Amino acid sequence: MIELYTSATPNGWKASVTLEELGLPYEVHAIDLMQGAQKTPEFLAMNPNGRIPVIRDRDADDFVVFESGAIMIYLAEKAGRLMPSDAKGRSRVIQWLMFQMGGLGPMMGQANVFYRYMPEKIDVAIKRYQGESARLLSVLDGRLAGHEYLAGEYSIADIANWCWARTASWSGVDLEPYIHLKRWIAQIAERPAAQAGIKVPYDLAEMLAKTKGDDAGSAAERFAKGARSIVNTGENGN
């Protein structure tokens, strides 16, 4: 049994979608980032960096893995799926996984900070991070022009990049120019495991859609304000 400590973020979904795709049994522990649960001594004992997701493998002497990409590799190798066994195939998957880890995720994350969460809008920063996010999405689009998936067969590389790319509108980036990327996003969105995984630990899309009759403002704005408080205190746990 896998214990998953997570929140409703793209990095969190990378772990839950992977678990769903592999069919591994897991137990969810929701981490409330806005309440600072990722900074408690108990959580920091698992991940000194204070970020989600984290897993604990009960079947391997309670072995703990942090960092979303490391979790995906661990789970894929544990199950023997979503990762090729040959050296070149494995390398291709890891290359596109690292593309997301080192590029798409950080750039879109910063776009979110400056476009959505910061109380004052710094245009140069917004343009910088939205522009770099768009460039990285165009790289994915170019790759997908000649490939159904990023690294051969469907893999953890697709899951990692999909969990971020599908949220481009939240970063203020238009996906309309990227026809191959949109095809791929829609294709993965049809997978039952992807649909289930992005509802862990709760259905964020449903929460953000509940805006009618909300005297305190839209659910999306409330969410952004909560995230803003995390950003301003440097306690971001994603």
Side-chain angles (χ1 to χ4, degrees):
M1 171 72 77
I2 300 292
E3 291 185 57
L4 171 63
Y5 298 80
T6 193
S7 301
T9 73
N11 283 337
W13 296 327
K14 285 159 60 178
S16 52
V17 172
T18 300
L19 283 161
E20 290 286 342
E21 287 283 3
L22 294 172
L24 294 173
Y26 67 103
E27 177 183 306
V28 177
H29 300 274
I31 301 299
D32 190 337
L33 302 180
M34 296 181 191
Q35 294 299 316
Q38 73 281 12
K39 298 300 181 181
T40 62
E42 294 79 11
F43 191 89
L44 291 172
M46 294 187 295
N47 182 1
N49 197 33
R51 298 289 189 269
I52 63 92
V54 172
I55 63 167
R56 185 192 304 275
D57 189 346
R58 292 183 189 167
D59 299 326
D61 299 320
D62 287 341
F63 184 65
V64 172
V65 185
F66 62 87
E67 286 294 329
S68 56
I71 289 169
M72 298 177 86
I73 293 171
Y74 178 85
L75 293 172
E77 292 183 338
K78 177 182 177 73
R81 293 176 50 217
L82 299 178
M83 171 79 86
S85 58
D86 65 291
K88 290 181 179 178
R90 186 176 187 275
S91 177
R92 290 188 190 98
V93 168
I94 291 177
Q95 288 173 58
W96 284 104
L97 175 62
M98 294 303 108
F99 172 88
Q100 183 279 306
M101 294 287 295
L104 188 64
M107 292 301 102
M108 289 185 67
Q110 290 301 311
N112 292 344
V113 167
F114 288 101
Y115 177 65
R116 290 281 181 182
Y117 306 146
M118 292 294 281
E120 55 181 312
K121 300 305 178 186
I122 305 172
D123 288 340
V124 66
I126 293 171
K127 289 178 181 178
R128 155 67 179 163
Y129 291 113
Q130 286 182 339
E132 185 62 7
S133 296
R135 186 191 70 79
L136 293 165
L137 291 167
S138 74
V139 172
L140 290 176
D141 187 66
R143 173 67 175 179
L144 293 164
H147 301 81
E148 183 178 13
Y149 296 112
L150 291 173
E153 295 184 358
Y154 182 69
S155 71
I156 57 174
D158 296 289
I159 295 172
N161 283 278
W162 178 79
C163 286
W164 276 95
R166 62 182 290 274
T167 70
S169 63
W170 187 255
S171 303
V173 179
D174 185 10
L175 286 177
E176 197 57 35
Y178 310 124
I179 58 173
H180 308 293
L181 180 62
K182 289 196 301 177
R183 180 271 305 165
W184 172 84
I185 289 173
Q187 185 174 345
I188 296 175
E190 292 297 315
R191 298 178 70 92
Q195 294 171 12
I198 59 173
K199 294 179 181 178
V200 175
Y202 57 84
D203 191 338
L204 179 61
E206 181 178 329
M207 184 199 80
L208 294 179
K210 293 179 178 178
T211 59
K212 294 183 179 179
D214 187 348
D215 294 336
S218 72
E221 179 58 22
R222 289 203 320 277
F223 180 84
K225 285 182 179 178
R228 185 179 303 148
S229 69
I230 299 173
V231 169
N232 288 345
T233 58
E235 295 295 304
N236 184 10
N238 176 20

